[in-house]
Amino acid sequence: MARQSKEPIKRPIVWIVFIAVFALINPWYFTDGAYTPLIWGVPYWAWIILAASLALSVFVTWVVCCHWDMQTDEQDGGGD
Amino acid sequence: MELAFGGAAGIIVLVAYGVLMLAVGLITYLRNRNILESLDEYYLGGRGLGVMVLFFTFFATQYSGNTVVGYPPTAYRIGYQYLVSVPFFICIIAAYLFFAPRLYALGRRFSLLTPVDWIDIRFKSKAVTILAATLMLYALGNYLLEQFVAIGQGVSGLTGGTIPYQVGVVFFIVIMVAYSWLGGMRSVAYTDTIQGIALLFGVFMLLIGSLIYFGGPAASAEVMRVQTPEKLGAPDAAGVAHWFSLLLLVGIGAAVYPHAVQRIFSARSEATLKRSFIRMAYMPFITAGVVFFVGIIGIAAFPDLTTAESEQLVGRIANALASRSLVFYWAMVLLFGGVIAAIVSTADSVLLTFSSIVSNDLYGRYIHPEASEQRKILVGKLIGLVAVVVLVIIAWYPPSTLYQIFVLKFELLIQAAPALILGLYWSRLNSRALFAGMLAGAVLAAAMTFAGWRPLGVFSGLWGLLLNLVICIGASLVMGVDREEHERAVEVIGTY
């Protein structure tokens, strides 16, 4: 039997995780003007934003791997 | 940007680079003789781009010379608040996830060639198709103009003025047009691969050199702590609002770059497209992230630059590094080759997409539908060439008045987003409402740009898009959609 096709936009979990990660990449949750502690000369909040950005990249990987399968390749008999 | 070392070394690198690009075009042409007989072959590389080439053509198209030359000065001036440039490039890829899967599948099903092609199949409305094509062509033309000016400035900067601005522009445009004409999307994508590698090499050498000779972020943090602590601190409410609207604008904007959409259609398979996206999701760290830190390091290396002086930051760093050792001398020459490569690689993609919309969507659909594919390609090439000549004349004599006409890009392009994306999912979208929204949005965005009016600090393109959405969704809900139109929409999009 054919697999179900998967489309990210139809999956509530994709939206929920995206909104959560999107919230984290916006620096609204830090105190205005705060920058200590500095780690290797980089303010703590910048590290957190970088970590959240990495989470967004991991989100992209996760969605592509687990929630995107339109079965186009099967229809073409192709793929690589 | 002036480089003291420019001169002969710069000329050698630029000429070698030009010859290499031409060779790629020629080899592509010789290996794919049928390239000029089919629109699919010419504009989409036969829909056969593999993971690496697809990835690099996405990469080189997205990151322009401006990323390397323009971002460090901004980081220098506003400090860590410009770290937004890293998530903003990832947001582009995240935004693709919400429409690319379906668009790719439909692209295969209907053999779509351009984004306008999709809009035409979905709405079957001459008014919508022509308006969308016009907005895209206008925006692409201005985008191309911007790249031409950047090429001229880059070349004259790299060679310390030995090659004048105009000669640089003409030299690279002739090379670019030649390899694009020879190999279409394939040679654009292959040269993008070389250009992408040159760019990556250059920015890494810039970072390594800066770290070795100017000290790391800690030295800059000390300077900022004493002089400008606001550059270290987390943003205030206004800063957060700016950050948020930038991410949103870029996220939505990603959808509407026609040359990016065309790359989705070029993928060999869904698997190829998916793997390229995964790689692209991590590139911002080693591109935007690296140039961001170069700007931060510049704060300690060259303190107290004025705004105008800081625009030359990358040139200053490169000059300083080049004078320290022979390795960095050549690395910096290659960096500037890479910067120009990055500009050319953005320009070639834009030009190819411009020609494809003329060939396929205007000439091939409305003017001469019976023309052979070869003839359609020829018309696209010639009109593309005419556009290039006109733009070169404008780049030659940059206008001092009506300047805004030439900066309108994104503001207009984004007005095609509802047709492109909403049309993928909503079968009740009324084509007349869509037309009215797109037109109103474009007029409002253009008027606000002319007036320099930016309420709440939000970009004029987003205000236009808001009006556009209110009209197209509101009017679609009020007027409904006639049965025939709805049935056709369901037939086109309803199978997923």
Side-chain angles (χ1 to χ4, degrees), chain B residues 292-377:
Chain B
F292 168 79
F293 276 104
V294 167
I296 292 293
I297 291 169
I299 293 175
F302 300 96
D304 307 322
L305 296 182
T306 63
T307 302
E309 286 169 345
S310 71
E311 283 301 321
Q312 311 286 323
L313 182 67
V314 175
R316 283 169 189 262
I317 293 178
N319 266 319
L321 294 181
S323 63
R324 302 288 177 107
S325 82
L326 195 63
V327 172
F328 279 108
Y329 174 84
W330 280 102
M332 290 304 107
V333 175
L334 288 175
L335 166 73
F336 277 80
V339 169
I340 289 159
I343 307 170
V344 174
S345 67
T346 302
D348 63 7
S349 312
V350 175
L351 177 62
L352 195 69
T353 300
F354 185 97
S355 298
S356 71
I357 293 176
V358 172
S359 282
N360 184 64
D361 301 315
L362 296 180
Y363 180 76
R365 181 165 292 124
Y366 298 118
I367 298 172
H368 195 178
E370 294 83 33
S372 68
E373 302 219 335
Q374 210 168 354
R375 189 177 167 84
K376 288 179 189 168
I377 292 173

Side-chain angles (χ1 to χ4, degrees), chain A residues 7-10 14-15 18 22 25-28 30-35 38 40-43 45-46 49-50 53-54 56-61 63-65 68-73 76 79-80, chain B residues 51 80-81 83 86-87 90-91 93-94 97-98 101-102 104-105 108 217-218 221 225 229 232-236 240 243-244 247 268-275 277-278 281-282 285 293 425 496:
Chain A
E7 191 172 11
I9 198 166
K10 287 185 176 169
V14 170
W15 284 96
F18 177 71
F22 189 79
I25 58 172
N26 282 280
W28 55 275
F30 302 111
T31 314
D32 286 7
Y35 58 83
L38 292 164
W40 294 319
V42 176
W45 69 270
I49 289 295
L50 282 172
S53 303
L54 188 62
L56 185 61
S57 303
V58 173
F59 163 81
V60 169
T61 311
V63 172
V64 167
C65 292
W68 173 356
D69 182 6
M70 305 294 281
Q71 302 184 1
T72 324
D73 294 349
D76 288 357
D80 62 352
Chain B
V51 178
Y80 278 92
Q81 297 195 18
L83 193 59
V86 174
I90 312 173
C91 275
I93 310 300
L97 299 179
F98 293 96
R102 184 173 289 212
Y104 176 75
R108 283 274 145 164
R225 196 181 62 76
L232 277 174
D236 58 11
V240 172
W243 183 298
F244 172 79
L247 290 183
R268 183 187 294 158
S269 65
E270 193 176 290
T272 310
L273 184 63
K274 283 156 67 173
R275 271 183 242 158
F277 278 165
I278 291 178
Y282 295 90
F285 294 98
F293 276 104
Y425 300 100
Y496 295 99

Side-chain angles (χ1 to χ4, degrees), chain B residues 226-248:
Chain B
V226 176
Q227 296 176 352
T228 50
E230 69 279 4
K231 288 186 186 173
L232 277 174
D236 58 11
V240 172
H242 181 74
W243 183 298
F244 172 79
S245 81
L246 201 59
L247 290 183
L248 203 63

Side-chain angles (χ1 to χ4, degrees), chain B residues 456-472:
Chain B
L456 305 175
V458 173
F459 301 100
S460 59
L462 279 182
W463 287 110
L465 183 63
L466 185 67
L467 177 68
N468 181 344
L469 284 171
V470 167
I471 293 176
C472 82

Side-chain angles (χ1 to χ4, degrees), chain B residues 62 86 110-111 121 159 178 265 301 317 338 394 455:
Chain B
Q62 195 164 83
V86 174
F110 295 108
S111 299
I121 283 189
T159 60
F265 297 148
I317 293 178
I394 298 170

Side-chain angles (χ1 to χ4, degrees), chain B residues 67-352:
Chain B
T67 319
V68 183
V69 179
Y71 285 29
T74 316
Y76 177 92
R77 288 193 297 269
I78 69 174
Y80 278 92
Q81 297 195 18
Y82 199 59
L83 193 59
V84 66
S85 58
V86 174
F88 113 5
F89 277 110
I90 312 173
C91 275
I92 298 176
I93 310 300
Y96 282 137
L97 299 179
F98 293 96
F99 73 94
R102 184 173 289 212
L103 195 59
Y104 176 75
L106 291 168
R108 283 274 145 164
R109 193 168 142 217
F110 295 108
S111 299
L112 301 177
L113 195 74
T114 69
V116 181
D117 226 0
W118 157 243
I119 291 171
D120 183 68
I121 283 189
R122 168 66 180 83
F123 299 103
K124 286 283 172 229
S125 156
K126 198 170 174 177
V128 169
T129 304
I130 291 180
L131 179 60
T134 309
L135 291 177
M136 288 183 191
L137 288 177
Y138 189 90
L140 289 174
N142 275 345
Y143 200 45
L144 207 49
L145 175 65
E146 188 181 84
Q147 304 302 318
F148 289 170
V149 173
I151 289 172
Q153 288 170 343
V155 171
S156 79
L158 166 61
T159 60
T162 316
I163 302 181
Y165 170 91
Q166 286 88 347
V167 176
V169 173
V170 171
F171 175 75
F172 275 103
I173 287 174
V174 169
I175 301 244
M176 183 182 89
V177 169
Y179 72 68
S180 302
W181 279 28
L182 281 167
M185 173 63 112
R186 278 196 184 86
S187 54
V188 166
Y190 296 153
T191 51
D192 277 353
T193 306
I194 300 171
Q195 289 151 347
I197 292 169
L199 180 71
L200 273 179
F201 173 80
V203 295
F204 265 91
M205 289 306 283
L206 190 65
L207 180 69
I208 293 168
S210 304
L211 284 172
I212 294 175
Y213 293 111
F214 304 123
S220 299
E222 190 48 33
V223 174
M224 285 185 270
R225 196 181 62 76
V226 176
Q227 296 176 352
T228 50
E230 69 279 4
K231 288 186 186 173
L232 277 174
D236 58 11
V240 172
H242 181 74
W243 183 298
F244 172 79
S245 81
L246 201 59
L247 290 183
L248 203 63
L249 183 77
V250 172
I252 302 169
V256 288
Y257 271 127
H259 44 291
V261 170
Q262 216 161 24
R263 275 158 179 69
I264 295 175
F265 297 148
S266 310
R268 183 187 294 158
S269 65
E270 193 176 290
T272 310
L273 184 63
K274 283 156 67 173
R275 271 183 242 158
S276 301
F277 278 165
I278 291 178
R279 280 171 211 195
M280 281 294 287
Y282 295 90
M283 291 314 281
F285 294 98
I286 57 172
T287 314
V290 167
V291 294
F292 168 79
F293 276 104
V294 167
I296 292 293
I297 291 169
I299 293 175
F302 300 96
D304 307 322
L305 296 182
T306 63
T307 302
E309 286 169 345
S310 71
E311 283 301 321
Q312 311 286 323
L313 182 67
V314 175
R316 283 169 189 262
I317 293 178
N319 266 319
L321 294 181
S323 63
R324 302 288 177 107
S325 82
L326 195 63
V327 172
F328 279 108
Y329 174 84
W330 280 102
M332 290 304 107
V333 175
L334 288 175
L335 166 73
F336 277 80
V339 169
I340 289 159
I343 307 170
V344 174
S345 67
T346 302
D348 63 7
S349 312
V350 175
L351 177 62
L352 195 69

